[in-house]
Amino acid sequence: MRETLLANWRDAAFASLFGVKSISSLKLSILDNMIAAQGGIRGWLAKRTKADRDVYATAIERLYSGAAIASDLALMAFRSAIQGKIIILDDIERKHADLSVDEIAGFLDELLELSSCRVILVMNSERLTDFPRWMDIREKVIDRELTLSPSPKESAAIALARHPLATPLTPLIESCGITNIRAIRKIATEVDWLDAGKWRARQNSKTLRAFLAALTLMLGAHLRALGSVGSLRSIELDGTGSIKRDDHFKNACATLLIDENSAFFDQIDVLLRSGVMPTEEIEAMLASGMTDETRYELQFDSAAARNDHIWDIDWSDEDALKQCIRICEASAGLADPSLLSHSLQTLELVGGNSTHSTNALSIFKKALKQTRPIPFTANGFHPAVLEALGSMNLLVSGNAQSGADEKDTRMHNLALAGFAYASVLKLPTTVASYLQQLETMDADDMRFVVPTLLSRFEKLSGEEHPQWNAAKAFDEACRQYVLSKPGSRRARLIDAALKGGAPAR
């Protein structure tokens, strides 16, 4: 509204009623805004009298004291200044309790009748302390009424226009039910220090969303702007000064699908206490989380490439090779020998050789130099990775760890890639072998591996399928295990998976 009036109607004055106790003070505020270019009332008086301001110091102080006579004299002196102007009165709901809406209505009538002004009132009428009285008299003073009642999405569109992180922020604003545009802009301002170009490319990142969700929730509560999660009225602290994670807090976190124990909450708490965003700590947390996400994505891409190469007859060997080279080079940049080993094995599975992995190994060495890692224990790494680590003196003897202590991840990888990958994993596909694996897998692997492999078996076309025997053997192993150890936790989990239900925990 301010931009529109200033662009199309220069003769306008703005005044806020925030904390205003009397009409006299309001008049002075309007007049001061009208002649602001001339130094306000004080400057105007000095120029008008062409005298030293000190001579009129007492009179001016009386003028600003809000004395009725002083303000009325000023209004009479400046009546020509406000004649026919547009007057905008804002924050009516934030007026002082001593100033009634009846007085405001009388003042409006004075402006309209004596000065031929047009007046625009801006207010949240429902927050008026004398709201019932306003409802009784408003039709007597208001010619036209426009109601702005935006939804959280509409408010976000206004407040986040052209903001680089508008896409991930908007659904969070909606979930919190925040309609206050100022509050949304304050939330957005607190993330402006982020490198927009860097994070724009990762707007779907779970880590970035976790930070933005925690920020939106805590700042929304701090600013009393929450709507649909309004049960969280404020951030409460426990006896140790830590955030109280009570039921209200947990419910609000559940609404935003965010971990109630997220470390981002503690960092944002620092912001609320000190007024300074701990940017270095948050950037480190974001970078670490992004790296973990990238590592997981590459692990998944590598396993998917193995599976697709076997099952997707439309995927050419050339395209598969290009995809695997890309995965290897991306994996190498993370300086993770286990991940690179997995990617190199995938590369070989689709027909790649040492020539195709040369650039990835070069990237791997450069990344290791930058990270300055501690030496690695030789632990099932790809031979090319072992050679690279050895050339950089980053290998130590593996005698400190026995093979029995090393986690066997072959069943997990089998679930990721499919039964056709069993030979690459050197995993027997007999009933006896599967029974042994079912007995030794940890709970996390059990919950993932068993339902996944049973699902793969159900999707096979029949006995003519090349992996039918391996898949059938796993199904048989699961059924034998349930019969042999009825009532055990592992048997209950397997039985639930066989019946298509959720695995027991």
Side-chain angles (χ1 to χ4, degrees):
M1 183 190 66
R2 181 185 295 269
E3 292 175 357
T4 300
L5 286 172
L6 291 178
N8 299 280
W9 195 302
R10 298 179 61 184
D11 297 327
F14 298 82
S16 171
L17 272 77
F18 183 57
V20 172
K21 293 183 178 181
S22 67
I23 294 299
S24 299
S25 298
L26 178 58
K27 290 177 179 179
L28 290 175
S29 179
I30 294 172
L31 294 172
D32 210 33
N33 184 267
M34 288 293 299
I35 55 177
Q38 302 178 48
I41 294 176
R42 295 173 188 264
W44 187 91
L45 281 175
K47 293 178 182 178
R48 187 68 176 266
T49 60
K50 299 181 180 179
D52 194 302
R53 291 188 181 189
D54 292 338
V55 175
Y56 297 91
T58 303
I60 293 173
E61 290 304 321
R62 287 189 63 210
L63 182 68
Y64 271 83
S65 70
I69 295 176
S71 60
D72 285 343
L73 288 174
L75 183 58
M76 291 173 62
F78 297 121
R79 183 151 291 163
S80 60
I82 63 172
Q83 187 73 27
K85 304 297 189 297
I86 291 183
I87 309 297
I88 297 90
L89 302 180
D90 196 3
D91 295 321
I92 313 293
E93 75 279 5
R94 299 187 183 186
K95 66 179 179 59
H96 194 277
D98 290 347
L99 181 62
S100 71
V101 292
D102 287 284
E103 291 180 273
I104 295 175
F107 176 57
L108 296 177
D109 187 64
E110 177 185 341
L111 289 176
L112 294 171
E113 296 298 329
L114 301 181
S115 302
S116 300
C117 293
R118 301 296 293 171
V119 183
I120 299 175
L121 303 180
V122 183
M123 73 176 83
N124 185 337
S125 58
E126 293 182 0
R127 293 190 180 181
L128 279 170
T129 55
D130 37 10
F131 175 69
R133 179 56 183 159
W134 170 253
M135 297 301 291
D136 289 338
I137 67 173
R138 65 174 185 163
E139 73 275 3
K140 299 176 182 178
V141 295
I142 302 297
D143 293 331
R144 178 176 296 176
E145 187 173 21
L146 302 177
T147 301
L148 175 65
S149 182
S151 66
K153 185 176 182 179
E154 291 168 336
S155 293
I158 296 169
L160 301 176
R162 296 180 297 279
H163 194 280
L165 293 178
T167 299
L169 273 172
T170 297
L172 297 172
I173 297 297
E174 291 185 68
S175 296
C176 285
I178 302 176
T179 58
N180 188 298
I181 294 172
R182 288 192 184 97
I184 298 173
R185 282 179 173 160
K186 288 179 181 179
I187 293 171
T189 298
E190 294 299 343
V191 299
D192 285 344
W193 54 270
L194 285 170
D195 184 340
K198 174 182 178 181
W199 299 111
R200 185 186 290 111
R202 296 301 303 267
Q203 289 195 35
N204 294 324
S205 163
K206 293 181 179 179
T207 305
L208 179 61
R209 185 193 180 281
F211 164 63
L212 295 177
L215 179 69
T216 302
L217 177 61
M218 292 191 69
L219 268 184
H222 180 69
L223 298 170
R224 302 294 194 273
L226 296 182
S228 58
V229 290
S231 59
L232 185 66
R233 299 298 179 186
S234 61
I235 303 298
E236 303 290 341
L237 302 179
D238 60 21
T240 65
S242 300
I243 299 171
K244 185 184 293 184
R245 290 171 167 80
D246 54 15
D247 289 341
H248 291 317
F249 183 84
K250 293 177 181 178
N251 291 337
C253 291
T255 299
L256 293 181
L257 303 177
I258 183 175
D259 180 8
E260 64 192 61
N261 297 312
S262 170
F264 285 121
F265 283 120
D266 295 324
Q267 298 300 330
I268 298 165
D269 188 38
V270 173
L271 165 67
L272 299 184
R273 291 169 183 263
S274 67
V276 179
M277 178 75 78
T279 55
E280 292 185 4
E281 291 82 356
I282 291 177
E283 277 195 322
M285 293 169 63
L286 288 171
S288 176
M290 292 291 187
T291 300
D292 290 341
E293 286 183 33
T294 302
R295 182 178 288 108
Y296 174 82
E297 290 169 2
L298 289 170
Q299 179 86 16
F300 180 84
D301 288 346
S302 179
R306 299 176 180 189
N307 195 54
D308 289 346
H309 182 254
I310 294 172
W311 297 107
D312 189 351
I313 60 175
D314 294 325
W315 200 29
S316 69
D317 291 343
E318 181 181 354
D319 289 340
L321 190 59
K322 289 180 180 178
Q323 171 78 342
C324 291
I325 291 174
R326 182 197 66 79
I327 293 172
C328 284
E329 293 178 353
S331 301
L334 297 180
D336 184 336
S338 296
L339 178 62
L340 180 57
S341 294
H342 190 280
S343 301
L344 289 174
Q345 291 169 358
T346 302
L347 180 66
E348 293 174 353
L349 189 67
V350 302
N353 54 44
S354 58
T355 302
H356 299 118
S357 61
T358 300
N359 191 45
L361 292 169
S362 176
I363 294 173
F364 179 61
K365 291 180 180 180
K366 290 179 181 178
L368 285 173
K369 290 178 181 179
Q370 293 174 352
T371 58
R372 298 180 180 178
I374 59 174
F376 297 92
T377 301
N379 186 18
F381 297 147
H382 188 278
V385 174
L386 289 174
E387 183 180 349
L389 293 173
S391 67
M392 301 177 69
N393 296 318
L394 290 176
L395 276 180
V396 296
S397 173
N399 294 331
Q401 292 185 352
S402 65
D405 294 330
E406 298 172 2
K407 181 178 178 179
D408 187 348
T409 61
R410 290 180 298 170
M411 289 296 288
H412 186 92
N413 291 332
L414 188 71
L416 284 171
F419 288 102
Y421 187 55
S423 59
V424 178
L425 290 168
K426 298 181 180 179
L427 179 69
T429 56
T430 63
V431 173
S433 173
Y434 286 141
L435 283 171
Q436 182 182 8
Q437 293 290 334
L438 290 173
E439 185 63 43
T440 58
M441 275 190 292
D442 62 30
D444 288 337
D445 275 342
M446 286 281 288
R447 281 190 284 268
F448 170 70
V449 169
V450 175
T452 302
L453 289 181
L454 287 174
S455 176
R456 286 184 178 275
F457 171 58
E458 291 177 358
K459 294 177 181 178
L460 296 184
S461 55
E463 295 184 10
E464 68 278 2
H465 195 283
Q467 306 308 322
W468 172 264
N469 291 332
K472 179 64 176 175
F474 181 77
D475 180 80
E476 180 62 29
C478 289
R479 297 180 185 280
Q480 285 189 23
Y481 195 98
V482 172
L483 292 174
S484 63
K485 298 188 177 183
S488 70
R489 292 187 64 191
R490 289 175 181 268
R492 291 201 306 272
L493 184 151
I494 296 170
D495 188 49
L498 283 167
K499 295 177 181 178
R505 290 185 178 273

